[in-house]
Amino acid sequence: MAENKGVENTQKTKVEKIESPWTVAWKRLRKNRLAIIGLIMLIVMILVCMLGPTVFKLVKGYDYTDMVGMKFEKPSGKFLLGTDNLGRDVFLRVIKGGQISLFVGISAVLIQVVLGTILGIVAGYYGGIVDSIIMRIVDVFMSLPSLPLLLIVAAVLSDMNFPPEYRMFVVMFILGFLSWPGLCRMIRGQVLSIREQEYMQAADALGIRDSKKMFRHIFPNVVPIIIVNATLGLGGTILSESSLSYLGLGVVAPTPSWGNLIQTVNDFYNLKNRGWLWIPPGICIFITVMAINLFGDGLRDAIDPKLKK
């Protein structure tokens, strides 16, 4: 009887479900209120900036380049944030500027991730002369002062008579191309550790080709590093684009971005008396970068709690 009861109790015992690392990370992330607040703020900002101009045009019937009022009209029921020096709706241009700034920032981060991931995995996997060459290139890039170099490259390209609507692609490429070395170095260090694991030795014994080992077995193990680095790097990229555009070397008119919208502070009269021209884009930059940093910090702690201070 005792044996039967023991068997019944064993059968009734629930087998604990093994949770995936992503499920565990999500549960940790949900407990971080600041990270969730940052995520919600970021999602709302992206939705407003991406969908806002289209909805605005359907409702109001005009676009961000249209002159729809008198110049420098104060905020009112008709124009929530007033109009600029050409009579264009500032509220619509702030939304469109957010769309451009976010597009440039996300695209630059994608370029950074692709270059940093591929070169980092290749350097860590092959080692030897390949690793030395890639790491020396990384050292050269990391020793360069990023902001002065950005200013020089942007100034040179601005003299090549690029059409204004294509300038944002130039800025996107510059920011992405100059920001990959840090990610490359982190991934390379992780791959050096992964390469010595038993399953990698088994893959070598089975004769699996190098490309499959790198991107089937190694790449999934560095995805958390990529996600965290991309999330935290996005805020810095948006700030860099805003700085270049503010200096007139990034996205230029008539295409708006949060950076070139703040250029109105160059006029002391506008700075003092027409705050509706430059305060809203400044607030949008602050909210977006703050949300990204809050979410990125929480995501880092959720994926790898050992990194939490």
Side-chain angles (χ1 to χ4, degrees):
M1 294 292 293
E3 293 180 358
N4 292 335
K5 289 182 179 180
V7 172
E8 290 177 0
N9 290 334
T10 302
Q11 292 176 347
K12 290 180 181 180
T13 301
K14 295 182 180 180
V15 178
E16 294 184 0
K17 184 179 178 181
I18 300 176
E19 296 179 332
S20 68
W22 294 110
T23 303
V24 175
W26 170 243
K27 288 185 177 181
R28 292 197 193 107
L29 183 63
R30 285 189 302 177
K31 295 178 181 179
N32 191 328
R33 293 184 179 180
L34 288 177
I36 295 300
I37 291 173
L39 177 60
I40 293 172
M41 291 166 59
L42 182 59
I43 291 174
V44 170
M45 184 65 71
I46 291 174
L47 290 177
V48 170
C49 292
M50 294 303 170
L51 302 178
T54 302
V55 174
F56 207 95
K57 188 173 183 178
L58 292 174
V59 175
K60 293 285 189 176
Y62 56 83
D63 205 357
Y64 67 95
T65 57
D66 296 337
M67 302 175 190
V68 293
M70 302 296 292
K71 66 178 183 178
F72 295 131
E73 287 190 37
K74 293 183 178 181
S76 61
K78 183 178 181 181
F79 302 112
L80 295 179
L81 296 178
T83 60
D84 63 6
N85 61 325
L86 296 177
R88 297 171 297 191
D89 193 321
V90 173
F91 179 72
L92 179 56
R93 289 184 63 78
V94 169
I95 296 176
K96 184 64 180 181
Q99 185 182 103
I100 300 299
S101 294
L102 288 171
F103 173 75
V104 171
I106 293 172
S107 301
V109 167
L110 288 177
I111 295 173
Q112 168 194 349
V113 166
V114 171
L115 289 175
T117 301
I118 294 175
L119 293 176
I121 290 177
V122 170
Y125 179 79
Y126 286 110
I129 187 65
V130 175
D131 183 27
S132 297
I133 292 173
I134 294 177
M135 286 300 102
R136 297 299 74 76
I137 295 174
V138 168
D139 291 340
V140 170
F141 271 85
M142 296 191 75
S143 65
L144 296 173
S146 57
L147 184 57
L149 185 61
L150 280 171
L151 294 176
I152 293 171
V153 175
V156 170
L157 291 176
S158 66
D159 292 335
M160 298 174 65
N161 295 322
F162 272 87
E165 60 270 19
Y166 296 123
R167 284 286 296 276
M168 64 178 178
F169 296 103
V170 176
V171 175
M172 174 185 71
F173 177 77
I174 295 173
L175 293 174
F177 186 72
L178 294 179
S179 57
W180 62 268
L183 176 61
C184 177
R185 177 168 284 183
M186 286 191 292
I187 290 178
R188 178 248 186 191
Q190 185 71 14
V191 173
L192 289 175
S193 175
I194 295 172
R195 191 178 60 180
E196 305 301 325
Q197 299 296 323
E198 293 181 356
Y199 66 88
M200 289 302 298
Q201 297 176 4
D204 291 335
L206 292 172
I208 299 175
R209 63 181 183 271
D210 291 346
S211 60
K212 187 174 182 180
K213 284 187 287 186
M214 285 189 288
F215 296 100
R216 181 71 65 84
H217 300 285
I218 294 178
F219 176 72
N221 290 281
V222 299
V223 167
I225 296 177
I226 296 171
I227 292 175
V228 172
N229 188 85
T231 304
L232 293 174
L234 180 58
T237 305
I238 291 175
L239 286 176
S240 298
E241 179 278 324
S242 299
S243 300
L244 288 174
S245 298
Y246 171 77
L247 296 172
L249 299 173
V251 181
V252 296
T255 304
S257 77
W258 285 336
N260 64 30
L261 288 175
I262 301 179
Q263 276 186 322
T264 53
V265 300
N266 292 335
D267 186 328
F268 182 76
Y269 185 84
N270 288 335
L271 174 64
K272 183 178 180 181
N273 299 295
R274 295 170 180 155
W276 70 85
L277 296 175
W278 59 272
I279 291 178
I283 292 176
C284 288
I285 294 173
F286 172 78
I287 292 175
T288 303
V289 175
M290 179 64 69
I292 291 171
N293 288 335
L294 289 175
F295 175 62
D297 288 341
L299 186 62
R300 178 197 60 198
D301 296 339
I303 290 178
D304 191 352
K306 293 182 292 184
L307 294 177
K308 188 174 182 179
K309 295 181 181 180

